[in-house]
Amino acid sequence: MNAMQKQLILEPKSGRYKLLIFILILTALLWSSSTLEFSASGMGGAVIARNIFLGIFNPDTAILFNWQNGVPFLLLETLAIAFVGTLVGSILAIPLAFLSSQNVVGRPISYVTSLFIMAIRTIPVFVYGLMFIRVTGPGPFAGLLTMALASVGMLSKLFAETIEELDTGIIESLDAAGCNGFEKIRYGVIPQLASDFLSTVIYRFDMNIRDVAVLGLVGAGGIGAPLIFAMNSHRWNEAGAIIIGLILLVFIIEWLSTRIRKKLARG
Amino acid sequence: MHQLLNAFKPTEITLPNGKKVLEPKSPVLLYVLLVLALTFFFIELTGFNLQTIQRRGHQFFVLLENMFPPNGNYAPSVWVPLIDTVKMSLLGTFIGAMISIPFALLASTNITKSKFLILFSRFLFSLIRTIPTLVTALVATFILGFGTTAGTVAIALFTFGFVGKLLYEQIETVDMGAYEAVESMGGNKSRAFAVAIIPQVMPRFLSNTLFCFEGNVRHAAILGMVGAGGIGLIFNTQLALRNYGNVGMILMMMFAVVFIIEVISRFTRSKLV
């Protein structure tokens, strides 16, 4: 028996453990496979699928290039909702983030604020949409506020993580050099937080652009409602035009956001 | 105006030896101005108005007040769709994650040599991630009929895009030494992959899949609103009927289930990575 075989025998035996996990996953899958039911559509489905693909590859160019109230305008509105929504969301998230970081306010207050943030995150986006429509009436304004509230949860959590990593040594040395409170914040705190905060905000903006489509379900503005209407009434060329516009917008924003965030991360 | 322009011009500094150097100004001010201009334009476009919020802000809580107290008698009819939602998230996540593995292999530059295959599979990943899940769900209901099958397909597609992208990025950062060692000992490519790469990426892959599953349970609620089965279906009905007590009950039970799943998944993920 050489050294290699000895080492092989020493390796912990995880066979039984792996078998257990395998059985667990298999049972979960079998249990959940009851959701699959291939019943109704049959042939009708194939025809519809063909129509959808034809429509998406032959977009309605009249809407795609109509600058007055066609796809470009809808995209601009979507951009506006996501942009201002993310901005308002981050303004709301900053105080919450400070109130939920343990190194700023201590354990008890931090727990209470975290619970509050979790409660905000629990309610689905479209419920917020419905609630804001009562305030502002249907339209992009409601969508913007919905986006803002929907972003608060993630933004304040990530902000708080950055704040908890603050290097207090820098602030202490500024203190030792005789700086006052304002100077300590300006030269000790903001430079440490700014790039991480910005990066988080841009990432959330990127996500919000994708999520704006959901707002259309409740009539809170953006590109969602025209898209869902077009699809529900089987106007596939129109839906195709809107989808192509949306994909282009998301691609551009994602490319820009990745570039900016890479630059921010490298300093 | 002159001073404003000066803010962008580099400042001139004369060194002790008489040489003049230019210190470039930081472009931050320019970016700030750009963002401000965009903000004003977009505020105008969306009709953002603080006064409206002040005046009618209380309306925001009307819906919430109507939801409390939740109607406990409605709970038995929530269970089946809720379990359906969990089931379709589970199955959809599993299918999507499984299908993403071969495509992630094709998309990693250190495994695949063909430029075309790499570009093609990467394009596929970003295309699928770009299309909103709501749209895939709607298309799925048109093709497969209303019900949980459509929801499962939509979730599988989303998971495919999300997990796949993270997986190929993971595979690319793997230590290739072990792979080469197995190949030089006479193992073929698939053998080398199985013993050298899988152990390195497996924990992360499982963790990402679990994280995606967490999100999928939340998303699945929205999918029902377009007819893709699960909890969203009854949610939509009760909302339309203005049975806000029932809506509150649905939300409460959904919160409980999502919370339990998150706790389990977080615990498992902390063990994995």
Side-chain angles (χ1 to χ4, degrees):
Chain A
M1 193 195 282
N2 60 24
M4 234 188 245
Q5 282 166 323
K6 269 183 203 153
Q7 198 60 38
L8 194 65
I9 291 167
L10 280 178
E11 192 182 313
K13 298 272 175 295
S14 58
R16 196 176 287 176
Y17 179 65
K18 277 177 183 161
L19 190 72
L20 188 75
I21 290 178
F22 179 71
I23 291 173
L24 212 71
I25 294 177
L26 201 70
T27 353
L29 282 178
L30 284 178
W31 174 68
S32 59
S33 64
S34 64
T35 54
L36 289 178
E37 67 229 352
F38 297 100
S39 52
S41 47
M43 269 311 288
V47 175
I48 295 171
R50 208 181 57 118
N51 286 345
I52 292 172
F53 279 104
L54 280 181
I56 287 172
F57 289 112
N58 297 303
D60 188 340
T61 41
I63 303 177
L64 193 54
F65 298 111
N66 180 353
W67 295 96
Q68 286 298 311
N69 43 19
V71 174
F73 176 76
L74 287 173
L75 290 180
L76 191 68
E77 195 181 76
T78 301
L79 199 64
I81 292 175
F83 188 91
V84 188
T86 314
L87 208 68
V88 174
S90 17
I91 292 169
L92 291 175
I94 287 174
L96 279 177
F98 276 99
L99 283 176
S100 70
S101 344
Q102 291 194 2
N103 57 346
V104 179
V105 290
R107 227 159 241 261
I109 301 178
S110 144
Y111 274 133
V112 172
T113 324
S114 302
L115 222 95
F116 178 64
I117 294 171
M118 210 173 129
I120 294 180
R121 278 184 56 187
T122 308
I123 300 179
V125 179
F126 51 89
V127 177
Y128 283 130
L130 288 170
M131 286 156 86
F132 276 122
I133 281 176
R134 291 186 78 95
V135 179
T136 65
F141 187 17
L144 179 170
L145 293 174
T146 310
M147 279 287 119
L149 210 54
S151 324
V152 163
M154 189 190 110
L155 283 176
S156 49
K157 188 164 170 278
L158 291 180
F159 283 175
E161 272 170 22
T162 310
I163 295 169
E164 279 176 353
E165 278 166 17
L166 261 181
D167 182 2
T168 46
I170 294 172
I171 301 164
E172 273 166 30
S173 51
L174 283 172
D175 211 9
C179 294
N180 61 24
F182 175 74
E183 282 165 342
K184 269 188 282 181
I185 291 174
R186 167 68 185 83
Y187 296 103
V189 179
I190 291 180
Q192 284 193 60
L193 299 183
S195 69
D196 267 5
F197 272 29
L198 254 183
S199 168
T200 309
V201 169
I202 292 170
Y203 180 56
R204 183 67 218 190
F205 172 61
D206 190 352
M207 281 171 74
N208 277 349
I209 291 258
R210 291 159 201 259
D211 286 349
V212 166
V214 175
L215 296 175
L217 272 180
V218 292
I223 203 160
L227 179 59
I228 292 166
F229 280 142
M231 289 178 82
N232 274 334
S233 50
H234 300 267
R235 295 197 301 270
W236 297 114
N237 302 17
E238 202 180 311
I242 298 176
I243 290 177
I244 287 173
L246 190 60
I247 288 178
L248 270 180
L249 181 73
V250 173
F251 262 133
I252 294 170
I253 297 291
E254 192 184 293
W255 178 75
L256 269 177
S257 127
T258 327
R259 257 186 71 130
I260 299 175
R261 282 190 296 129
K262 253 189 201 152
K263 237 185 169 172
L264 281 173
R266 274 199 254 106
Chain B
M1 194 63 203
H2 190 66
Q3 271 178 331
L4 200 74
L5 278 179
N6 264 347
F8 296 110
K9 275 188 192 147
T11 28
E12 212 177 61
I13 300 172
T14 315
L15 296 179
N17 60 2
K19 200 178 168 194
K20 281 179 181 168
V21 287
L22 294 176
E23 186 201 14
K25 277 276 159 63
S26 109
V28 168
L29 189 66
L30 190 71
Y31 293 150
V32 169
L33 282 179
L34 198 75
V35 169
L36 272 183
L38 268 181
T39 310
F40 277 114
F41 174 60
F42 284 155
I43 280 177
E44 201 62 30
L45 190 80
T46 51
F48 183 81
N49 187 347
L50 272 179
Q51 278 172 342
T52 317
I53 301 179
Q54 239 170 30
R55 200 154 36 82
R56 300 183 46 88
H58 57 94
Q59 287 283 337
F60 178 74
F61 298 100
V62 171
L63 217 57
L64 269 189
E65 278 162 19
N66 285 338
M67 283 180 202
F68 279 89
N71 181 5
N73 295 330
Y74 188 61
S77 14
V78 181
W79 272 121
V80 175
L82 192 59
I83 296 295
D84 269 352
T85 302
V86 177
K87 279 180 180 177
M88 71 188 204
S89 317
L90 201 64
L91 198 63
T93 312
F94 182 79
I95 296 173
M98 282 296 139
I99 299 176
S100 77
I101 296 175
F103 284 95
L105 279 180
L106 288 182
S108 354
T109 42
N110 52 353
I111 305 281
T112 311
K113 294 285 169 268
S114 150
K115 262 240 160 79
F116 169 76
L117 278 178
I118 292 172
L119 276 180
F120 171 75
S121 35
R122 284 192 181 192
F123 178 72
L124 195 71
F125 278 130
S126 23
L127 189 72
I128 286 179
R129 266 181 321 117
T130 313
I131 304 173
T133 319
L134 200 65
V135 175
T136 34
L138 248 175
V139 171
T141 56
F142 285 130
I143 297 175
L144 300 165
F146 292 116
T148 37
T149 314
T152 311
V153 171
I155 290 173
L157 273 174
F158 172 75
T159 311
F160 172 81
F162 181 85
V163 174
K165 183 188 180 240
L166 292 174
L167 183 61
Y168 81 70
E169 283 174 356
Q170 178 81 30
I171 292 177
E172 286 189 340
T173 56
V174 132
D175 173 19
M176 288 300 279
Y179 184 84
E180 280 160 20
V182 175
E183 271 197 318
S184 66
M185 293 283 281
N188 58 10
K189 266 193 192 292
S190 54
R191 176 86 185 140
F193 178 75
V195 295
I197 304 226
I198 288 184
Q200 289 188 60
V201 294
M202 199 59 169
R204 259 301 155 75
F205 171 70
L206 288 180
S207 159
N208 289 337
T209 310
L210 272 176
F211 180 73
C212 192
F213 173 62
E214 266 175 53
N216 283 344
V217 177
R218 276 174 199 270
H219 275 295
I222 297 175
L223 295 185
M225 307 224 7
V226 296
I231 192 97
L233 219 56
I234 57 165
F235 188 90
N236 217 4
T237 327
Q238 296 305 320
L239 209 58
L241 294 171
R242 294 171 190 253
N243 287 334
Y244 292 119
N246 293 354
V247 173
M249 194 63 216
I250 296 173
L251 280 181
M252 288 266 287
M253 290 175 73
M254 219 167 78
F255 173 61
V257 167
V258 168
F259 183 75
I260 293 169
I261 287 176
E262 256 184 36
V263 168
I264 297 174
S265 147
R266 250 180 227 170
F267 174 75
T268 323
R269 280 195 288 134
S270 69
K271 291 270 163 197
L272 274 172
V273 181

